[in-house]
Every structure is written in structure tokens, then in C-alpha cells.
């Protein structure tokens, strides 16, 4: 199964509460925090919601 390396590139200050909660559920709290998540439907849904805050790199 493939993984995705996700980096928070923009601040969470002033964002919608739902978007902040989604970022926290991915393990991202500060700018430049990095997490590796599995490439599945749940993760893709979270990325679709807050993709404008993130940088995503797919890993093999």
C-alpha cells in the first residue's frame, strides 16, 4: 500500500474550526509539521477539504 507524506505549509490561524480539526486529525499542528499517512479514501477526503493548506508527496 502506498503512503503520502503531508506537510502543513500555511498557518491554521483564522481558519474554520472544521479545517483546524481536520489538520489536527492528520497530526499537523504547526507550519512545516510533516506526517506520513496511508493512501486511502479517508485520508484523501481530509486532503480534499484542506488541500489549500498542504503540500502532498506520494511515496511508493
Amino acid at each position: 500500500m502506498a503512503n503520502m507524506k503531508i506537510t502543513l505549509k500555511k498557518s491554521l490561524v483564522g481558519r474554520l474550526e472544521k479545517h483546524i480539526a481536520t489538520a489536527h486529525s492528520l497530526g499537523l499542528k504547526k507550519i512545516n509539521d510533516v506526517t506520513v499517512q496511508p493512501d486511502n479514501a479517508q485520508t484523501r477526503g481530509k486532503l480534499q477539504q484542506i488541500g489549500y493548506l498542504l503540500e502532498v508527496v506520494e511515496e511508493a
Side-chain angles (χ1 to χ4, degrees):
M1 181 179 244
N3 288 325
M4 295 184 291
K5 183 177 175 184
I6 304 167
T7 307
L8 185 63
K9 286 297 183 180
K10 293 187 179 180
S11 175
L12 296 174
V13 175
R15 306 293 178 187
L16 294 173
E17 286 296 321
K18 269 178 98 170
H19 293 191
I20 294 170
T22 302
H24 287 181
S25 73
L26 289 169
L28 304 169
K29 296 185 192 252
K30 295 191 231 174
I31 294 176
N32 291 325
D33 274 356
V34 177
T35 185
V36 176
Q37 298 289 326
D39 186 2
N40 57 32
Q42 291 83 7
T43 304
R44 291 232 177 230
K46 292 174 185 180
L47 296 180
Q48 185 176 1
Q49 185 178 32
I50 62 167
Y52 67 98
L53 299 172
L54 307 173
E55 178 182 293
V56 180
V57 177
E58 294 190 25
E59 298 179 338

